[in-house]
């Protein structure tokens, strides 16, 4: 693997880029795309502030920092974004992406039905039926994200499988819907190593194996991303991704394929 399409600077204004670039070089990468978090949701305003997802206000500053860093490295650096997707925000997201004109856009579903998808959201108060309904809503949003044609990359497509209260609730029907949507879209799923590591039972790549199989059955191609948030992440995640690609025989698309906006299902 020589291209990482999904990494993050330490802060959305570009702080930390030199350390991230040095670490990416040391990990043997030829190119890295910095896709910092961005949310336009007022409903999650507190989380945007706490987790520094105010990239809509700072992306121009980071763009300047990337340009400076690019002159000081042999790496190819891409100016990208990871956008929180919520269906009702499509018009605002479309306007922002058109105005910002990133090299490419990564779309993520992190918030559904007033809850976060991350494991620190407790579902202790939810019944089994409510948990299944949440997972249904999650995949509705993922399919809507793909069908919106706003994004080049679909991030960690089955993120719910990393949640101890939701794992195993993804059905074959969910996987088929997502795979079919990507087969008909310009949006490419990523193989994401951000949650692969020493996490025991939830030591997962995304997509997990059943969804990878559903994508491959439909000839859908992949890009790969470490989802690195800190410099030391590259040294751990790049080798894991390389081993995974060797074991599965997946040949990722080049980053250049994200820049043209054409459908990228395998012929």
């Amino acid at each position: 693997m020589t291209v990482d399409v999904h990494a993050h600077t330490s802060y959305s204004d570009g702080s930390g880029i030199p350390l991230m670039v040095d670490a990416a070089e040391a990990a043997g990468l030829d190119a890295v795309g910095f896709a910092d978090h961005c949310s336009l949701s007022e409903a999650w305003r507190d989380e945007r502030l706490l987790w520094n997802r105010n990239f809509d206000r700072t992306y121009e500053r980071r763009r300047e920092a990337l340009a400076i860093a690019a002159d000081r490295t042999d790496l190819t650096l891409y100016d990208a974004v990871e956008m929180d997707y919520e269906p009702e925000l499509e018009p605002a997201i479309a306007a922002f992406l058109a105005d910002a004109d990133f090299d490419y856009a990564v779309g993520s579903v992190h918030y559904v039905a007033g809850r976060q998808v991350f494991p620190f959201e407790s579902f202790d108060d939810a019944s089994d039926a409510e948990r299944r309904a949440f997972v249904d809503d999650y995949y509705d949003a993922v399919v809507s994200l793909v069908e919106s044609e706003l994004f080049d990359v679909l991030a960690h497509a089955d993120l719910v499988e990393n949640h101890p209260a939701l794992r195993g609730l993804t059905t074959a029907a969910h996987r088929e819907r997502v795979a079919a949507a990507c087969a008909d879209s310009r949006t490419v799923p990523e193989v994401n190593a951000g949650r692969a590591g020493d996490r025991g039972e939830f030591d997962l790549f995304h997509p997990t194996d059943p969804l990878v199989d559903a994508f491959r059955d439909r000839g859908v191609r992949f890009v790969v991303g470490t989802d690195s948030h800190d410099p030391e992440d590259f040294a751990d995640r790049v080798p894991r991704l390389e081993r995974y690609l060797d074991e599965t025989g997946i040949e990722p698309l080049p980053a250049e394929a994200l820049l043209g906006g054409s459908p990228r299902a395998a012929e």
Side-chain angles (χ1 to χ4, degrees), residues 11 31 48 52-53 59 81 103 122 133 172 199 201 211 222 238:
Y11 296 96
R48 289 169 58 192
N52 202 36
R53 294 185 178 182
Y59 72 91
V81 62
D103 290 333
S122 173
R199 295 169 184 248
E201 183 182 1
L211 184 51
F222 301 89
V238 169

Side-chain angles (χ1 to χ4, degrees), residues 12-54:
S12 59
D13 63 358
S15 303
I17 285 178
L19 293 176
M20 295 295 283
V21 170
D22 288 347
E25 287 180 329
L29 293 173
D30 294 327
V32 59
F34 288 106
D36 288 307
H37 289 288
C38 184
S39 173
L40 302 181
S41 173
E42 285 303 312
W44 293 97
R45 182 177 181 277
D46 290 352
E47 280 65 28
R48 289 169 58 192
L49 294 173
L50 288 171
W51 296 103
N52 202 36
R53 294 185 178 182
N54 57 348

Side-chain angles (χ1 to χ4, degrees), residues 71 75 161 168 219 231 239:
D71 288 337
L75 284 179
E161 287 296 296

Side-chain angles (χ1 to χ4, degrees), residues 1-7 24 27-33 75-78 104 190-191 222-226 234 238 241-242 245 252-258:
M1 188 194 76
T2 59
V3 178
D4 176 4
V5 304
H6 186 174
L29 293 173
D30 294 327
V32 59
L75 284 179
T76 299
L77 304 183
Y78 293 105
Y104 58 84
E190 68 161 345
V191 174
F222 301 89
V223 291
V224 291
T226 63
F234 289 110
V238 169
L241 270 171
E242 290 174 337
L245 296 176
L253 286 162
E256 291 79 7
L258 302 178

Side-chain angles (χ1 to χ4, degrees), residues 32 44-46 61 96 102 114 130 134 136 149 167 215:
V32 59
W44 293 97
R45 182 177 181 277
D46 290 352
R61 183 180 301 177
F96 171 68
F102 295 102
E130 288 169 334
F134 179 86
D136 287 343
E149 298 293 348
R167 188 178 187 186
F215 282 133

Side-chain angles (χ1 to χ4, degrees), residues 30-224:
D30 294 327
V32 59
F34 288 106
D36 288 307
H37 289 288
C38 184
S39 173
L40 302 181
S41 173
E42 285 303 312
W44 293 97
R45 182 177 181 277
D46 290 352
E47 280 65 28
R48 289 169 58 192
L49 294 173
L50 288 171
W51 296 103
N52 202 36
R53 294 185 178 182
N54 57 348
F55 192 44
D56 55 314
R57 302 179 183 180
T58 60
Y59 72 91
E60 292 175 319
R61 183 180 301 177
R62 193 207 63 178
R63 182 169 291 167
E64 293 177 2
L66 278 178
I68 295 169
D71 288 337
R72 301 179 180 181
T73 179
D74 291 331
L75 284 179
T76 299
L77 304 183
Y78 293 105
D79 172 33
V81 62
E82 181 182 1
M83 175 68 67
D84 285 344
Y85 174 82
E86 296 176 65
E88 62 272 18
L89 295 179
E90 273 193 22
I93 292 171
F96 171 68
L97 292 178
D99 185 60
D101 193 26
F102 295 102
D103 290 333
Y104 58 84
V106 178
S108 298
V109 176
H110 290 138
Y111 307 112
V112 179
R115 289 183 182 265
Q116 302 182 55
V117 183
F118 303 109
F120 48 70
E121 172 82 44
S122 173
F123 281 81
D124 291 343
D125 61 343
S127 67
D128 289 345
E130 288 169 334
R131 295 179 191 191
R132 288 192 295 271
F134 179 86
V135 172
D136 287 343
D137 290 342
Y138 171 81
Y139 283 108
D140 284 346
V142 170
V143 170
S144 181
L145 181 160
V146 174
E147 292 179 342
S148 75
E149 298 293 348
L150 291 173
F151 303 98
D152 302 285
V153 178
L154 167 63
H156 41 62
D158 53 359
L159 183 58
V160 288
E161 287 296 296
N162 192 62
H163 198 298
L166 304 174
R167 188 178 187 186
L169 298 182
T170 300
T171 66
H174 292 140
R175 292 188 287 267
E176 286 304 313
R177 286 187 64 207
V178 176
C182 285
D184 291 336
S185 174
R186 74 184 187 91
T187 305
V188 179
E190 68 161 345
V191 174
N192 182 294
R195 288 155 192 86
D198 299 324
R199 295 169 184 248
E201 183 182 1
F202 301 99
D203 182 9
L204 304 176
F205 283 93
H206 293 291
T208 54
D209 290 345
L211 184 51
V212 168
D213 291 342
F215 282 133
R216 297 181 84 176
D217 286 347
R218 290 183 175 270
V220 174
R221 301 287 301 278
F222 301 89
V223 291
V224 291

